Structures are given as structure tokens and as C-alpha cells.
Amino acid sequence: MRLAVLASGRGSNLQAILDAIAAGTLDAEIVGVFSDKPTAQALRRVPEPLRWSRNAKDYPNRAAFDAELATAVAATRPDWVVCAGYMRILGDAFVQRFRGHLLNIHPSLLPRHRGLRTHAGALAAGDGEHGASVHFVVPELDAGAVIAQAALPVLATDTPESLAARVLRLEHPLLVAVLQMAAAGRITEQAAQATLDGQPLFTPLRLEFAPG
Ligand code: GRF
């Protein structure tokens, strides 16, 4: 399975993928890491020839940036394109080009808390549980079919920072688990629904992981 990874920052989710590949638990190859932030730590997690980055500010508009990104991603012939902490909205043209092969990890139990500041949002809403989701990307932000989620209880003592740290520890095994299913050819997006082994997933898979 050829994986292209889009990342804007730290890249701990990318590292989880790299670690699973190195451990032999994920049958995949990273064919490129793509960033809208040339200083992203994520880029330094892979050898130089696999890195692509451009400063989005150097482009007149989103479509121009996305077009160059799409050309670079397509050139690596990925089976799947994974947004792992990619913080820039992907325009419709990019999404349509890779649709059905484009995944995102989002730090909330979608459909709750789309967009940014999900941890503060979960606290403000008084949610009893919170977590992370891996979903297919569609043009509407964080609105695509969810494949799998991992949840944790919100504690009375939680802050946005403590929640972010605990959710991140769920994100890593969750993302790897979904990519294992992708590598085995078990997941597809059909008519805006996620399928597992050819069956529509009417509710996302709930995966459980030991606290990291
Ligand atoms: C993660 O919480 C991811 O879900 C998100 O941004 C964070 C990125 O973390 N939207 P990293 O760059 O993978 O360490």
C-alpha cells in the first residue's frame, strides 16, 4: 500500500505510521510527506527525497496551492492519501481528485466538534466522552463518512491540554488500525458511505486501546 501523508506540524501521527511499518504491523510504504508548512517537524521524520513542502502564502489562492499539491501527490501514485494533522482546508478539486482514497484523522467523536478547538469544545459542551475519528474526506469540512473512532471519558479535572494529550494517544493506534484495514483492502467509500468488507458501516467502528 502506497501512502501519501499530508501534515502541517509535529507529525506524531505520521510517526505512528512509520513505527508500525518498521515493526512489520502495517504493510505499507510512505511514498511522500506533503506539507503547507516548510518548517513542519513532520517533514524531518522521513528522508529528504520523500519531502514536499511549499509555503501556502506564496500562492495567489487556495486553488493554485491545491493544484500544485495535487500534482505532487499524484506523482507518487498513492493508493491512499492520509491527512495526519494537515491543518489547511482542502478545496473541492483536490478532494474530488482523490475522493474515496482520502482519509483524515480528527480529534473528536464526529459528528461532534468539527473544525478547530475540539477539546475546548468538548469541555464547554459538558461532554462525558470525547475521542478521535478517522473518516473519508469530502468537500464539507470534517463531514465525510466515519470509519472508526476511539473514545475516552472526560474527567472533571480535564483541561483542553490534558484532553489533547490523552486523545492524541488514542489517535496513533486508531489511525494505524484503520490503515491496516485499508492495506487489507477492507474499506471503501461508496455513495458517501464507508464500507467494511463490502458492508455499509451504519455507525463507525468503536475501537478500544489500552491507555498509552
Ligand atoms: C492531531 O490531534 C490531529 O488530529 C490534528 O492535529 C494534531 C496533529 O498532531 N488535527 P501530529 O502533527 O500528528 O502530532
Side-chain angles (χ1 to χ4, degrees), residues 104-185:
N104 181 46
I105 181 148
H106 180 77
S108 81
L109 295 173
L110 290 170
R112 295 189 66 71
H113 311 299
R114 292 178 181 168
L116 298 173
R117 289 179 286 281
T118 60
H119 309 300
L123 287 173
D127 292 357
E129 64 168 11
H130 184 46
S133 305
V134 176
H135 64 93
F136 282 104
V137 177
V138 297
E140 191 186 343
L141 185 65
D142 299 329
V146 178
I147 300 160
Q149 298 181 317
L152 47 69
V154 178
L155 308 176
T157 51
D158 266 322
T159 62
E161 294 71 31
S162 69
L163 267 183
R166 279 164 49 237
V167 168
L168 191 68
R169 291 201 291 272
L170 291 180
E171 290 183 38
H172 299 157
L174 176 67
L175 182 56
V176 168
V178 172
L179 292 176
Q180 286 166 338
M181 291 182 234

Side-chain angles (χ1 to χ4, degrees), residues 25-184:
T25 54
L26 178 62
D27 188 10
E29 178 190 359
I30 301 281
V31 293
V33 173
F34 300 84
S35 187
D36 59 326
K37 297 268 186 299
T39 57
Q41 194 188 336
L43 291 163
R44 299 200 296 271
R45 296 179 187 271
V46 293
E48 210 278 328
L50 297 186
R51 302 175 193 162
W52 182 98
S53 70
R54 299 286 186 277
N55 197 331
K57 294 195 186 81
D58 294 341
Y59 293 79
N61 51 48
R62 182 182 309 286
F65 178 84
D66 276 7
E68 208 167 303
L69 174 65
T71 300
V73 170
T76 64
R77 296 181 291 107
D79 297 306
W80 292 88
V81 180
V82 182
C83 300
Y86 186 68
M87 302 309 285
R88 191 178 163 78
I89 290 173
L90 291 167
D92 288 11
F94 187 98
V95 173
Q96 294 305 350
R97 181 160 180 181
F98 296 100
R99 181 116 192 224
H101 304 269
L102 184 56
L103 300 174
N104 181 46
I105 181 148
H106 180 77
S108 81
L109 295 173
L110 290 170
R112 295 189 66 71
H113 311 299
R114 292 178 181 168
L116 298 173
R117 289 179 286 281
T118 60
H119 309 300
L123 287 173
D127 292 357
E129 64 168 11
H130 184 46
S133 305
V134 176
H135 64 93
F136 282 104
V137 177
V138 297
E140 191 186 343
L141 185 65
D142 299 329
V146 178
I147 300 160
Q149 298 181 317
L152 47 69
V154 178
L155 308 176
T157 51
D158 266 322
T159 62
E161 294 71 31
S162 69
L163 267 183
R166 279 164 49 237
V167 168
L168 191 68
R169 291 201 291 272
L170 291 180
E171 290 183 38
H172 299 157
L174 176 67
L175 182 56
V176 168
V178 172
L179 292 176
Q180 286 166 338
M181 291 182 234

